[in-house]
Amino acid sequence: MKPQDAIAPGIVGLAVLGGWEGLVRHYAVPSYVLPGPVAIGQALVADWPLLAGSLLVTLRIALLALLLAVSLGGLLAVAFAQSRWVERAFFPYAVVLQVTPVVAIAPLILIWVDDVTVSLLICAWIVAFFPVLSNTVLGLNSADRNHLELFRLYGASRWQTLWLLRLPGALPYFLAGLRVAGGLALIGAVVAEFVAGAGGTGSGLAFRILEAGYQLKIPRMFAALALISAAGIAIFAVLGLVQHLLLRRWHESAMTPEG
Amino acid sequence: MTLVALEGVGKRFASGTQALAGVELRIEAGEFLAILGPSGCGKSTLLRLIAGLAAPTEGVIRRAASRQVGFVFQDPTLLPWADALGNVRLPLRLAGVDRAEQEARAAAAMAAVGLAGFERAWPRELSGGMRMRVSIARAMVTRPSLLLMDEPFAALDELTRHRLNDDLLGLWAGSGGADGTTVVFVTHSVFESVYLASRVILMAARPGRVVAEMPVVLPGGVPGGAAAPRPAGFRTSADYAALCRQATEALERAMAP
Ligand SMILES: Nc1ncnc2c1ncn2[C@@H]1O[C@H](COP(=O)(O)OP(=O)(O)OP(=O)(O)O)[C@@H](O)[C@H]1O
Ligand SMILES: [Mg+2]
């Protein structure tokens, strides 16, 4: 994205924030109902030490879950690609894990697993790993038929075919899955924190939102919310950059029109 | 010496299509064999059978013991994530040749097809004709005793195609001609087959079969294979026109009901 591409969304953002602040002031809305952007900004600055600590807690869970999703999802995908039988046998269970709402299983996991951090991690992982798995499986199975024949003709081993043909070919699919998984890992972490936070444990951003809610510190609630969004955007942008850097030499998705 | 012998070979696909029936064909070492036929007559299928990429459903295929096959597909089929040199050295890499030798031999193969200096170029940065040449270099890098080519120049413009025809004949002659690489070249151009080959076989469709065979004999009784590359101006000569007419007539006779 070029710097001038940020102008249009920047103007829209400023207009919305300005209108919001104007309306809140004009109708004198109390800040415990709807704080204006200025009040939220003040809360962000005033509560920064507290919120920044919570941000780190949540980010740490989300990134660890993403790491687990990438390694386990990727390994599972490679195992699936080795044999149709394995794929057919196990893929439905991955789907089951994916379609079950994490809010519904989080309480169970919190009961079964003593360590809160570990159970948060498991919840976030469950949400994040599926896009990595399904995209990578699709990518590994999408190897070009002619390329496969070429490898067969030159007597490539199974390992050589995986390493030199299937894995590089699956990279764009994997990275697309990774980008989705990044956002989902954060969502999973926050949702799990909400479930856990109700029991009075944890100190991530979701916990700060709950806590601020009880204490009617609504501007702080919004500040925490803004931080979660900012973290999500940052993860998405960083993964997008990784995707661009890895694919720019050869994949259509990373090409500019004039190449 | 016969490199590959097909005896009563037929191929029926699971879909029920009888792609080939009763094919008798002997590929002799050192020849340049062109397979000529209309679209859909089973040329690609035949080539894949010769390469061993598919098995016949009838008949047998006998192969000489030691044979290294090179295959040029109808499109370049380069790996988009590897540069030109990486693509050319792939067969050597798969064979476990050591890295330095891979690079040296791949660079030499690229130079032989006129692509010296493009080693680090990515497939998408190359023109269609250059990609095809990378593909040919990849097929040549193992110094195959049998080079199979499936309409490699079909998608190219006339001039590029003529140049690559000459390059190919040069490579074939350079490999030792009659005792080096054997080439089997699929095409649906009468002109191309006559220009390149020392022997042309004609195929017809439904079911795919070999209907005629024509040795290419250049004026003065010089066998086609011994005159590679062709003399300058051959393409516009009356002799070439006569050979093309002869092949076209054979093709028409073969196609006649
Ligand atoms: N994998 C396949 N499954 C079923 N039928 C096939 C398959 N491959 C080819 N055929 C059929 O076999 C016949 C011969 O196909 P083939 O690709 O060998 O023709 P071709 O002579 O190479 O044609 P072209 O000149 O257009 O490339 C066609 O009727 C085609 O539909
Ligand atoms: Mg074909």
Side-chain angles (χ1 to χ4, degrees):
Chain A
M1 199 165 92
K2 292 187 285 285
Q4 58 264 38
D5 290 347
I7 293 176
I11 290 175
V12 172
L14 284 179
V16 169
L17 289 180
W20 177 0
E21 184 69 33
L23 287 174
V24 166
R25 283 181 191 230
H26 182 262
Y27 292 105
V29 184
S31 78
Y32 55 84
V33 175
L34 177 66
V38 171
I40 295 171
Q42 281 164 348
L44 195 58
V45 173
D47 298 335
W48 179 249
L50 188 73
L51 290 176
S54 300
L55 175 65
L56 281 184
V57 170
T58 303
L59 266 185
R60 207 172 60 109
I61 301 275
L63 293 182
L64 272 177
L66 186 61
L67 202 69
L68 279 179
V70 165
S71 36
L72 283 176
L75 278 179
L76 267 179
V78 170
F80 283 10
Q82 291 311 299
S83 134
R84 286 273 153 180
W85 188 88
V86 174
E87 181 180 347
R88 261 200 298 272
F90 288 97
F91 201 75
Y93 298 100
V95 176
V96 168
L97 220 50
Q98 158 73 7
V99 296
T100 312
V102 72
V103 225
I105 10 179
L108 285 175
I109 294 174
L110 283 159
I111 291 170
W112 292 334
V113 180
D114 280 336
D115 189 310
V116 180
T117 312
V118 173
S119 37
L120 295 183
L121 207 54
I122 293 175
C123 292
W125 173 77
I126 286 177
V127 188
F129 99 108
F130 190 75
V132 176
L133 173 70
S134 64
N135 272 36
T136 313
V137 167
L138 179 66
L140 289 170
N141 288 335
S142 298
D144 186 88
R145 211 177 74 106
N146 283 329
H147 286 156
L148 284 169
E149 293 202 328
L150 184 77
F151 273 65
R152 231 175 77 209
L153 191 76
Y154 289 115
S157 66
R158 209 183 171 95
W159 168 248
Q160 285 175 321
T161 309
L162 177 69
W163 188 246
L164 296 175
L165 178 61
R166 289 190 191 272
L167 281 178
L171 188 64
Y173 295 82
F174 164 80
L175 289 171
L178 179 64
R179 238 176 144 180
V180 176
L184 287 180
L186 184 66
I187 293 176
V190 170
V191 168
E193 275 177 12
F194 263 111
V195 178
T201 43
S203 57
L205 280 176
F207 176 72
R208 291 294 162 225
I209 290 180
L210 285 172
E211 182 193 55
Y214 296 141
Q215 301 169 356
L216 280 183
K217 290 182 177 157
I218 308 301
R220 188 197 283 177
M221 210 169 154
F222 272 87
L225 196 59
L227 278 182
I228 292 178
S229 301
I233 293 169
I235 291 177
F236 191 74
V238 167
L239 293 178
L241 186 69
V242 170
Q243 188 178 27
H244 179 78
L245 289 179
L246 286 176
L247 298 184
R248 73 195 151 136
R249 300 309 302 273
W250 64 273
H251 198 255
E252 296 303 329
S253 67
M255 300 292 159
T256 47
E258 68 282 8
Chain B
M1 186 184 73
T2 305
L3 274 190
V4 184
L6 288 81
E7 291 162 13
V9 164
K11 174 77 180 177
R12 178 189 285 280
F13 285 106
S15 61
T17 310
Q18 184 80 39
L20 291 173
V23 175
E24 302 283 339
L25 179 65
R26 303 172 78 81
I27 299 166
E28 303 295 337
E31 74 172 327
F32 196 126
L33 176 69
I35 300 178
L36 180 63
S39 181
C41 71
K43 303 183 297 294
S44 296
T45 308
L46 181 60
L47 212 57
R48 286 164 41 79
L49 288 179
I50 295 171
L53 286 172
T57 45
E58 294 130 45
V60 286
I61 300 180
R62 290 182 216 288
R63 298 185 171 85
S66 70
R67 102 216 128 85
Q68 173 74 55
V69 178
F71 203 119
V72 180
F73 292 87
Q74 206 156 341
D75 35 41
T77 55
L78 303 179
L79 302 176
W81 52 82
D83 60 18
L85 193 73
N87 271 288
V88 173
R89 70 185 175 86
L90 178 73
L92 300 176
R93 190 170 181 189
L94 292 176
V97 173
D98 80 80
R99 177 75 187 243
E101 193 187 336
Q102 280 176 30
E103 306 238 322
R105 282 171 63 181
M110 287 192 66
V113 295
L115 282 179
F118 287 95
E119 288 82 3
R120 294 269 89 96
W122 293 73
R124 55 173 303 280
E125 298 166 353
L126 299 171
S127 74
M130 290 162 94
R131 272 180 233 167
M132 212 60 233
R133 279 188 277 166
V134 173
S135 176
I136 293 169
R138 179 180 62 191
M140 298 293 291
V141 78
T142 55
R143 299 183 195 120
S145 52
L146 181 59
L147 179 60
L148 307 172
M149 307 179 88
D150 193 354
E151 301 185 33
F153 310 136
L156 304 180
D157 71 89
E158 201 91 318
L159 283 176
T160 310
R161 186 173 174 157
H162 288 174
R163 210 186 47 246
L164 291 181
N165 281 167
D166 285 328
D167 290 351
L168 179 60
L169 280 177
L171 283 175
W172 177 64
S175 77
D179 38 52
T181 299
T182 306
V183 181
V184 179
F185 188 99
V186 166
T187 177
H188 45 220
S189 159
V190 171
F191 308 102
E192 194 171 44
S193 67
V194 171
Y195 188 76
L196 290 172
S198 52
R199 183 163 69 113
V200 179
I201 63 166
L202 302 173
M203 289 183 68
R206 268 171 297 277
R209 61 205 188 276
V210 177
V211 287
E213 180 182 327
M214 191 188 98
V216 176
V217 181
L218 298 182
V222 182
R230 301 300 198 226
F234 178 67
R235 208 182 273 282
T236 50
S237 68
D239 298 328
Y240 176 56
L243 280 169
C244 290
R245 195 167 53 243
Q246 190 189 334
T248 309
E249 280 162 11
L251 190 60
E252 277 165 359
R253 263 200 309 280
M255 298 295 162

